[in-house]
């Protein structure tokens, strides 16, 4: 009896592997023919990246050479594409028209790279990254001197392409639509580290960039134009924006096709004689773009075609990036989700970030950056669904650290740890070092162990283990000790250390701070993010890009949220002085926008309450037109400067208190500070402006100006302390700005001036302000910062900035019930 | 799939994922109140009624951290996936979750 004819379309990863799986089980069963559109033998497609990078040659990545086909009696038609499947007659037709009969057919046509339909996408020099021809085209382009490449798409492939081109000497830039590289595999923290490592390898990244047009000259690409108008010059443009299952043949043959060719658990298509495997397949609604699931599909197909049994039930995925020296692993619910918990470990020294996601006591996902050695272990734990509650504490340290402790109760586990087991990964301290230091030096506190051994002195993740060792060694003599109060639950570090280090280490973004200071949560919380954002605003004026999402709503939308979700608007009224024009403009705005309440505030200005959020920019436009700017009634920053009438009118006035108040407000407005700052200037000791219960107050006297600090009249009533006395108005301004700057640079977020003063001492502040040089330096730093912040945020929004804040995402459901 | 079986949920395309700032949120007004759509630091998207279970604060205006949002009025933390109050306020209230699908970068909101 003649053998059944098994025909395979596609000589790629899946097609060839399916044949191998059949041969392995029943080598003589079928007469096998493979058609491959590529003019070469079967090679390892994923290794095209190292080939592009010049780290491997084509010969290195061949999986099955010609001899293999010969020895196994497999006929290969390389460079011959199949054009049609005739299901009625069970034959296929190739280019040129020749037909071949089949008894069983396997579709393994893979997928096609998506080409964005941008103007200019047909220019020479625009390529995709899928097969060896593409690699050769890219290699040729990189050979030109000083050539530049732009890669559209910051996914795995795009990054590997850019890396390879950079290795070949091109200036490479990755342009990515999202704000995180590889966002489908990485969270923001890991994405940030990846951006940094790529930059160190000569690959620049442009995030949140929409491509608009590919520009060219004489039919050749010369650059990529972005929506924001920027043009990135290039001689080679690689599109790496995704893949689409190659289903043309199947569709034309009338097979069931969704996103891919639909198959059942036996890999059978809607035609009982046709099977499909690989990227062209849709199984249980899922398409895959990685090889691991393909191997599983091929195993099942091998069983189906030989034993008639076997079922594929879908795959769990993990990803590794193939860029030399950049270890990246991601699997499962790396970003957590409903009912999930995170264990985060960062080692700034080694550039390591690990996030293990637990769900119901089991590993549900992981993302590892910088040290992905344990990726496979976490992936196995995830797939097996093993309960990890018992070794949760050491889980993040990886397999080696954990295995020693498994199955033991915690204290016994610590006792059972080998002396050579590493406890502190950051500083490479093992158990033996700690135990002998405790015994040898008579240590009793965590702090002292840190000082002597450095264990737990960096990221602090091993602190519980070190404490257990202390307890184990000295029993009750161990006193748990608290260091400075941490900023929040995301870190062990206090505010002072954070502020000091972000300057010393020139950290200029929130992800940079979180990594360097080894934050234990992936992206912080509502307490630490606003604090870090402020510290960065203060440390790097002009340099730091404010993170709006780390600001409380009032500071993000520049108005105060009210209990019913509307907003209040408080225009600045310099020193409490106004005019008929301003009042008229306010009245007009109130009428035009039907604002329900107008109230005179405790801060000598007018509050418009109950403004709808969507109306804010229009309200501001009208107020701006009359010269009114934001009063920052919402800000951790300069609020009001109250004044009294002073020498202008008052029979007791000793100085121009109104003028000084206005001058201070005009110079200091817009500045951000750890907590709100209120000023007042009274014209004489009768103190009608209540200057002695303000953060900074001035009492004018005949001989000059008394500067007071540290008052408050809110939750706590605190009278001010006299800081210093100066003779001239200029000096008063310098002294006040110096105090303000000192507080800005030193205060902890949300710590008002009086609390800061309690902490650092009035004397310290006085010494600084009374020393002319220190005062001058503080004043200069404040002035410099004000160049960037003395800007009306309302006017910016009227001009269109952050317009998404004020407009609904969509009005399509406005009149429908939700 | 049988084309005659209608999806019982009616889906409305309300915009692109990238229209929402990362770690941010946008509103979609409806006849019975706003819906808040959140995008987290790791790129996931969630939809809740824009009302805090505490005193009705607009959750769309809060700080998004992890998979939670801090209500702008009194700082309750609400879990985005479930609408449940978290931490010390757990069990005290829950905001309804709105059906949501993301397809090819577009956000679809569902009405049952
Ligand atoms: C509008 C106003 C009440 C009024 O109608 O007069 C007001 C309204 C609010 N105050 Fe005030 N305070 C107002 C003057 C004051 C004053 C009087 C003053 O400034 O001379 C004080 C006491 C002085 C002081 O600050 O020490 C005052 C002490 C507070 C406190 C307690 C601060 C403290 O450190 O103890 C808070 C709570 C906070 O800031 O955390 C607060 C918070 C608030 C908030 C922001 C509550 C909130 O978070 O939503 C209110 C916002 C309402 C809004 O949307 O406009 N407000 N608040 C006053 C606005 C002044 C302005 O023109 O900007
Ligand atoms: C550069 C690169 C790096 C990658 N890195 C990784 C990685 O690190 N990890 C990972 O898991 N995956 C990686 N992948 C993805 C992986 O290579 C694919 O998932 C895998 O190759 C898919 O196998 P396949 O057989 O379905 O498709 P392919 O390997 O593409 O094979 C399909 C073959 O069918 C041929 N064909 C199509 N239509 C016809 C026709 N009508 N007639 C004849 N022949 C036809 C095509 O020419 C092609 O040779 C990478 C991919 C690329 C391009
Ligand atoms: S005193 Fe209390 S209620 Fe009155 S405005 Fe200030 S915060 Fe609101
Ligand atoms: S209304 Fe949300 S916390 Fe009070």
């Amino acid at each position: 009896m003649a053998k059944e004819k098994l025909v395979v379309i596609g000589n790629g990863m899946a097609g060839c592997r399916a044949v191998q799986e059949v041969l392995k089980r029943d080598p003589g069963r079928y007469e096998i023919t493979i058609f491959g559109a590529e003019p070469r033998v079967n090679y390892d497609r994923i290794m095209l990246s190292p080939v592009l990078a010049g780290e491997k040659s084509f010969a290195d990545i061949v999986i099955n050479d010609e001899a293999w086909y010969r020895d196994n009696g497999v006929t290969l038609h390389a460079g011959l594409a199949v054009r049609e499947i005739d299901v009625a007659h069970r034959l296929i037709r190739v280019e040129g028209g020749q037909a071949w009969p089949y008894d069983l057919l396997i579709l393994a046509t893979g997928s096609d790279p998506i080409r964005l339909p941008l103007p200019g996408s047909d220019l020479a020099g625009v390529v995709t990254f899928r097969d060896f021809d593409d690699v050769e085209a890219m290699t040729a382009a990189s050979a030109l001197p000083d050539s530049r490449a732009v890669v559209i798409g910051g996914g795995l492939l795009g990054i590997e392409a850019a890396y390879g081109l950079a290795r070949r000497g091109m200036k490479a830039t990755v342009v990515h639509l999202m704000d995180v590289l590889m966002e489908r595999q990485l969270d923001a923290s890991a994405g940030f580290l990846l951006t940094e490592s790529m930059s160190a390898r000569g690959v620049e990244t442009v995030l949140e960039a929409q491509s608009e047009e590919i520009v060219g000259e004489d039919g050749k690409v010369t650059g990529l134009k972005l929506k924001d108008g920027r043009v990135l010059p290039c001689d080679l443009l690689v599109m790496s924006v995704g893949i689409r299952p190659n289903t043309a043949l199947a569709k034309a043959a009338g097979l069931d096709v969704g996103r891919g060719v639909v198959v059942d658990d036996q890999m059978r298509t809607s035609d009982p004689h046709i099977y499909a495997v690989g990227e062209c397949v849709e199984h249980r609604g899922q398409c895959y773009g990685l090889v691991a699931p393909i191997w599983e599909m091929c195993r099942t197909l091998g069983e189906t075609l030989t034993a008639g049994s076997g079922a594929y039930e879908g795959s769990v995925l993990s990803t590794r990036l193939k860029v030399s020296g950049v270890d990246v692993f991601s699997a499962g619910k790396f970003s957590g989700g409903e009912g999930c918990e995170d264990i985060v470990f960062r080692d700034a020294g080694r550039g390591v970030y690990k996030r293990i996601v637990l769900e119901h006591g089991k590993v549900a996902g992981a993302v590892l950056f910088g040290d992905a050695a344990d990726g496979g272990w976490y992936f196995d734990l995830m797939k097996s669904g093993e309960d990890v509650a018992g070794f949760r504490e050491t889980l993040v340290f990886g397999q080696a650290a954990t295995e020693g402790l498994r199955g033991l109760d915690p204290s016994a586990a610590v006792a059972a740890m080998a002396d050579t087991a590493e406890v502190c990964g950051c500083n490479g301290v093992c158990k033996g070092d700690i135990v002998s230091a405790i015994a040898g030096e008579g240590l009793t506190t965590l702090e002292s162990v840190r000082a002597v051994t450095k264990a737990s002195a960096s990221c602090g993740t091993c602190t519980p283990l070190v404490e257990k060792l202390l307890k184990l060694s000295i029993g009750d003599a161990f006193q748990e000790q608290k260091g400075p109060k941490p900023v929040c639950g995301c870190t062990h570090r206090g505010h002072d250390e954070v502020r000091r280090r972000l300057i010393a280490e020139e950290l200029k973004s929130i992800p940079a701070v979180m990594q360097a200071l080894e934050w234990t949560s992936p992206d912080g919380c509502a307490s630490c993010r606003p604090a870090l954002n402020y510290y960065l605003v203060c440390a790097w004026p002009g340099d730091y890009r404010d993170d709006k999402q780390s600001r409380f709503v009032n500071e993000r939308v520049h108005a105060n949220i009210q209990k019913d979700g509307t907003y209040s608007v408080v225009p600045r009224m310099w020193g409490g002085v106004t005019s008929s024009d301003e009042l008229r403009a306010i009245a007009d705005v109130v009428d035009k926008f039907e604002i329900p309440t107008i109230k005179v505030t405790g801060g000598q200005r007018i509050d418009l309450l109950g403004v709808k959020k969507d109306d804010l920019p229009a309200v501001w436009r009208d107020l701006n037109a009359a010269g009114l700017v934001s009063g920052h009634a919402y800000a951790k920053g300069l609020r009001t400067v109250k004044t009294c009438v002073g020498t202008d009118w008052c029979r007791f006035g000793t100085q121009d208190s109104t003028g000084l108040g206005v001058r201070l407000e005009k110079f200091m407005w817009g500045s951000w500070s750890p907590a709100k700052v209120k000023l007042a200037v009274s014209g004489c000791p009768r103190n009608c402006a209540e200057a002695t219960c303000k953060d900074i107050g001035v009492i004018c006297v005949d001989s000059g100006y008394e500067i007071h600090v540290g008052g408050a009249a809110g939750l706590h009533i605190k009278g001010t302390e006299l800081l210093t006395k100066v003779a001239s108005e200029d000096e008063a301004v310098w002294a006040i700005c110096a105090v303000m700057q000192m507080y800005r640079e030193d205060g902890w977020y949300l710590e008002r001036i009086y609390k800061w003063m309690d902490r650092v001492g009035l004397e310290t502040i006085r010494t600084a302000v009374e020393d002319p040089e220190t005062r001058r330096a503080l004043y200069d730093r404040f002035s410099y910062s004000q160049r960037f912040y003395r800007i009306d945020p309302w006017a910016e929004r009227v001009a269109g900035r952050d317009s998404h804040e004020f407009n609904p995402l969509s009005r399509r459901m406005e009149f429908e019930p939700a | 799939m049988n084309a005659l079986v209608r999806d019982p949920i009616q889906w409305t395309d309300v915009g692109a994922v990238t229209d929402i700032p990362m770690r941010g949120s946008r509103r979609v007004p409806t006849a019975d109140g706003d819906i808040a759509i959140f995008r987290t630091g790791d790129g996931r998207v969630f939809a809740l009624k824009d009302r805090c279970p505490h005193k009705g604060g607009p959750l769309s205006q809060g700080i998004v951290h992890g998979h939670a949002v801090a209500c702008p009025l009194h700082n309750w933390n609400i879990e985005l996936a479930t609408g449940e109050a978290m931490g010390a306020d757990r069990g005290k209230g829950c905001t309804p979750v709105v059906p949501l699908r993301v397809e090819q970068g577009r956000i679809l909101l569902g009405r049952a």
Side-chain angles (χ1 to χ4, degrees):
Chain A
M1 200 179 102
K3 286 187 194 172
E4 280 185 287
K5 291 185 171 55
L6 176 63
V7 171
V8 183
I9 309 180
N11 185 36
M13 304 284 266
C16 243
R17 175 62 79 107
V19 168
Q20 282 176 284
E21 292 285 355
V22 169
L23 290 175
K24 194 159 80 185
R25 291 178 172 79
D26 196 347
R29 171 129 174 203
Y30 295 103
E31 181 190 322
I32 302 175
T33 312
I34 305 179
F35 292 87
E38 288 186 70
R40 48 186 75 90
V41 292
N42 169 236
Y43 61 92
D44 191 347
R45 190 173 306 287
I46 77 174
M47 298 310 272
L48 286 177
S49 299
V51 172
L52 177 65
E55 293 161 354
K56 285 206 163 20
S57 69
F58 182 75
D60 294 332
I61 70 166
V62 167
I63 302 178
N64 294 308
D65 59 9
E66 280 162 25
W68 177 86
Y69 292 90
R70 205 175 43 239
D71 296 348
N72 288 286
V74 174
T75 312
L76 170 68
H77 296 280
L80 194 57
V82 176
R83 286 286 175 245
E84 190 195 338
I85 308 170
D86 181 343
V87 289
H89 301 98
R90 263 190 246 154
L91 19 106
I92 55 149
R93 260 182 269 280
V94 298
E95 45 190 350
Q98 208 189 336
W100 259 273
Y102 65 80
D103 296 303
L104 294 174
L105 182 67
I106 299 176
L107 282 174
T109 49
S111 46
D112 290 327
I114 294 176
R115 288 184 84 102
L116 293 174
L118 296 175
S121 57
D122 50 353
L123 290 165
V126 179
V127 301
T128 55
F129 187 18
R130 180 73 192 176
D131 60 23
F132 187 65
D133 292 342
D134 297 330
V135 173
E136 289 197 308
M138 289 192 253
T139 310
S142 69
L144 302 170
D146 300 324
S147 54
R148 283 174 292 200
V150 166
V151 178
I152 306 182
L156 177 111
L157 275 193
I159 292 168
E160 293 186 355
Y163 166 73
L165 293 168
R167 283 276 307 216
R168 289 195 179 264
M170 289 185 101
K171 215 173 144 284
T173 305
V174 174
V175 173
H176 194 44
L177 185 62
M178 302 299 198
D179 34 18
V180 174
L181 285 179
M182 285 176 70
E183 80 286 349
R184 297 222 226 130
Q185 288 90 21
L186 302 184
D187 63 3
S189 303
F192 162 77
L193 290 172
L194 180 57
T195 309
E196 301 257 290
S197 318
M198 291 316 291
S199 160
R201 284 166 178 73
V203 176
E204 289 314 317
T205 311
V206 184
L207 296 173
E208 293 183 273
Q210 284 199 32
S211 305
E212 183 166 85
E213 185 188 344
I214 303 172
V215 288
E217 253 175 53
D218 306 329
K220 252 201 105 314
V221 61
T222 56
L224 175 69
K225 184 165 171 225
L226 304 179
K227 274 247 161 64
D228 62 15
R230 266 181 295 176
V231 177
L232 308 172
C234 65
D235 315 282
L236 174 73
L237 188 130
V238 184
M239 279 201 200
S240 175
V241 293
I243 52 172
R244 190 178 289 127
N246 188 345
T247 59
L249 284 177
K251 220 182 242 165
L255 303 184
D256 244 0
V257 172
R259 234 164 13 107
V261 182
V262 176
V263 296
D264 63 14
D265 289 358
Q266 279 67 51
M267 311 314 296
R268 195 181 287 115
T269 67
S270 56
D271 180 313
H273 300 281
I274 307 182
Y275 296 81
V277 280
E279 277 182 355
C280 62
V281 155
E282 175 177 327
H283 173 261
R284 298 191 184 176
Q286 194 77 44
C287 294
Y288 294 97
L290 293 170
V291 294
I294 295 178
W295 296 164
E296 293 172 23
M297 290 181 200
C298 289
R299 201 173 312 132
T300 302
L301 181 61
E303 277 165 24
T304 310
L305 295 186
T306 53
S309 65
Y312 172 67
E313 302 185 326
S315 301
V316 194
L317 298 181
S318 70
T319 315
R320 267 177 204 275
L321 183 71
K322 303 186 298 300
V323 168
S324 304
V326 185
D327 244 1
V328 182
F329 173 88
S330 157
K333 291 189 175 177
F334 67 86
S335 60
E338 212 167 319
C340 290
E341 274 180 275
D342 290 308
I343 305 178
V344 172
F345 170 89
R346 300 184 198 240
D347 179 343
R350 291 189 298 142
V352 171
Y353 170 75
K354 302 186 189 180
R355 177 180 184 183
I356 317 298
V357 178
L358 299 187
E359 189 175 21
H360 311 305
K362 295 172 181 158
V363 175
V367 49
L368 310 177
F369 190 98
D371 174 3
D374 283 308
W377 185 60
Y378 294 123
F379 191 50
D380 288 342
L381 287 172
M382 185 180 118
K383 285 192 296 187
S384 68
E386 184 174 342
D387 194 317
V388 297
F391 50 99
R392 207 198 125 105
E393 277 185 5
T394 55
L395 189 64
V396 79
F397 298 114
Q399 183 170 19
T402 301
E403 301 269 80
L405 302 177
R406 278 175 97 158
L408 302 168
D409 85 71
S411 62
V414 177
M417 273 173 82
D419 274 351
T420 52
E422 193 174 77
V423 172
C424 172
C426 301
N427 298 305
V429 189
C430 52
K431 177 187 166 190
D433 303 334
I434 298 173
V435 174
S436 56
I438 293 170
E441 314 226 358
L443 308 179
T444 55
T445 64
L446 181 63
E447 242 355 276
S448 56
V449 174
R450 279 188 185 145
V452 174
T453 67
K454 286 183 85 180
S456 124
S458 294
C459 81
T461 318
C462 63
T463 305
L465 254 180
V466 175
E467 286 182 338
K468 285 208 180 77
L469 286 173
L470 267 163
K471 237 182 220 141
L472 190 74
S473 307
I474 57 174
D476 289 343
F478 166 59
Q479 314 130 19
E480 283 189 42
Q481 192 195 316
K482 300 272 162 273
K485 193 167 156 283
V487 172
C488 69
C490 303
T491 178
H492 305 277
R493 302 184 198 284
H495 290 267
D496 278 333
E497 180 180 357
V498 171
R499 295 208 76 168
R500 187 166 25 80
R501 287 188 48 189
L502 70 86
I503 292 173
E505 295 167 30
E506 298 205 19
L507 307 171
K508 297 194 178 179
S509 72
I510 290 181
V513 177
M514 288 185 175
Q515 179 62 23
L517 276 68
E518 297 163 326
W519 240 239
T520 58
S521 64
D523 60 0
C525 68
S527 297
C528 60
R529 286 229 310 271
L532 294 182
N533 190 56
Y534 167 69
Y535 293 154
L536 290 162
V537 160
C538 179
W540 312 112
D543 237 5
Y544 172 63
R545 190 166 144 222
D546 205 293
D547 179 24
K548 290 187 292 292
Q549 302 312 333
S550 294
R551 286 198 180 262
F552 182 66
V553 56
N554 290 355
E555 291 187 355
R556 202 168 66 236
V557 306
H558 296 279
N560 295 58
I561 194 164
Q562 303 296 313
K563 58 186 272 190
D564 61 353
T566 63
Y567 287 80
S568 77
V569 168
V570 185
R572 227 168 247 295
M573 208 159 258
W574 310 100
V577 182
T578 183
S579 68
S580 57
D581 282 343
E582 286 185 351
L583 292 172
R584 206 169 283 119
I586 290 174
D588 287 343
V589 162
V590 167
D591 287 347
K592 180 164 164 191
F593 295 94
E594 298 173 349
I595 296 173
T597 300
I598 321 167
K599 181 182 180 301
V600 174
T601 72
Q604 292 188 344
R605 45 201 194 163
I606 294 177
D607 194 352
L608 312 179
L609 293 133
V611 182
K612 290 191 275 306
K613 191 177 185 192
D614 300 11
D615 285 344
L616 287 171
V619 166
W620 296 334
R621 184 186 324 108
D622 288 6
L623 293 172
N624 275 170
L628 292 158
V629 297
S630 169
H632 293 89
Y634 46 80
K636 308 280 174 249
L638 184 84
R639 295 273 180 97
T640 53
V641 182
K642 282 173 58 160
T643 68
C644 72
V645 283
T647 43
D648 272 358
W649 296 95
C650 179
R651 62 202 162 106
F652 296 115
T654 60
Q655 308 283 353
D656 178 10
S657 53
T658 319
L660 174 56
V662 172
R663 178 174 166 190
L664 285 167
E665 191 167 0
K666 290 213 156 157
F667 190 67
M668 297 172 72
W669 73 292
S671 55
W672 299 104
S673 46
K676 61 185 169 187
V677 174
K678 298 173 174 182
L679 270 57
V681 186
S682 287
C684 82
R686 287 170 195 78
N687 192 16
C688 295
E690 299 165 330
T692 49
C693 64
K694 292 290 171 274
D695 297 277
I696 308 178
V698 181
I699 305 284
C700 301
V701 289
D702 271 331
S703 56
Y705 304 79
E706 288 175 9
I707 316 281
H708 294 252
V709 286
L715 304 164
H716 304 277
I717 302 203
K718 290 268 296 178
T720 47
E721 307 269 355
L722 177 62
L723 177 70
T724 187
K725 210 183 137 187
V726 294
S728 71
E729 194 181 287
D730 282 346
E731 280 176 291
V733 172
W734 296 335
I736 289 167
C737 291
V739 177
M740 176 73 164
Q741 183 64 11
M742 196 174 171
Y743 165 59
R744 294 180 74 236
E745 290 174 1
D746 196 55
W748 297 347
Y749 193 66
L750 299 186
E751 181 180 57
R752 254 185 108 167
I753 286 195
Y754 72 88
K755 292 190 192 149
W756 167 66
M757 190 171 88
D758 280 351
R759 183 162 62 80
V760 302
L762 176 65
E763 222 23 69
T764 313
I765 307 174
R766 181 178 291 141
T767 312
V769 172
E770 287 185 346
D771 172 53
E773 253 165 60
T774 312
R775 178 173 86 188
R776 178 83 215 192
L778 284 163
Y779 174 84
D780 285 347
R781 288 204 293 280
F782 182 71
S783 308
Y784 177 75
S785 169
Q786 281 300 81
R787 288 175 28 190
F788 305 97
Y789 295 112
R790 197 168 34 217
I791 287 168
D792 180 24
W794 291 354
E796 290 183 304
R797 270 117 202 118
V798 169
R801 181 158 166 194
D802 302 339
S803 59
H804 64 84
E805 270 294 352
F806 307 99
N807 300 319
L809 175 61
S810 158
R811 294 203 181 271
R812 291 189 58 192
M813 297 174 76
E814 194 156 10
F815 304 108
E816 298 165 355
Chain B
M1 272 264 283
N2 184 342
L4 293 175
V5 180
R6 273 209 23 231
D7 191 340
I9 297 182
Q10 228 182 303
W11 298 97
T12 309
D13 182 325
V14 293
V17 172
T18 45
D19 291 340
I20 306 176
M22 201 163 243
R23 279 173 239 100
S25 159
R26 300 282 302 269
R27 298 167 290 144
V28 173
T30 76
D32 43 46
D34 286 0
I35 294 170
I37 307 189
F38 304 89
R39 180 165 165 227
T40 56
D42 45 36
R44 305 221 352 206
V45 183
F46 300 89
L48 296 176
K49 294 271 301 199
D50 196 12
R51 283 183 59 81
C52 177
H54 179 216
K55 292 191 173 175
L59 297 175
S60 61
Q61 312 298 300
I63 291 185
V64 178
H65 55 102
H67 285 176
V69 61
C71 175
L73 292 195
H74 317 99
N75 212 30
W76 277 25
N77 279 296
I78 309 298
E79 191 171 57
L80 296 178
T82 60
E84 294 274 359
M86 300 164 65
D89 302 309
R90 187 168 285 284
K92 292 200 209 153
C94 182
T95 291
V97 175
V98 178
L100 172 143
R101 261 181 22 207
V102 174
E103 253 169 36
Q104 321 216 312
R106 304 294 301 179
I107 299 170
L108 308 177
L109 285 188
R111 272 167 300 130

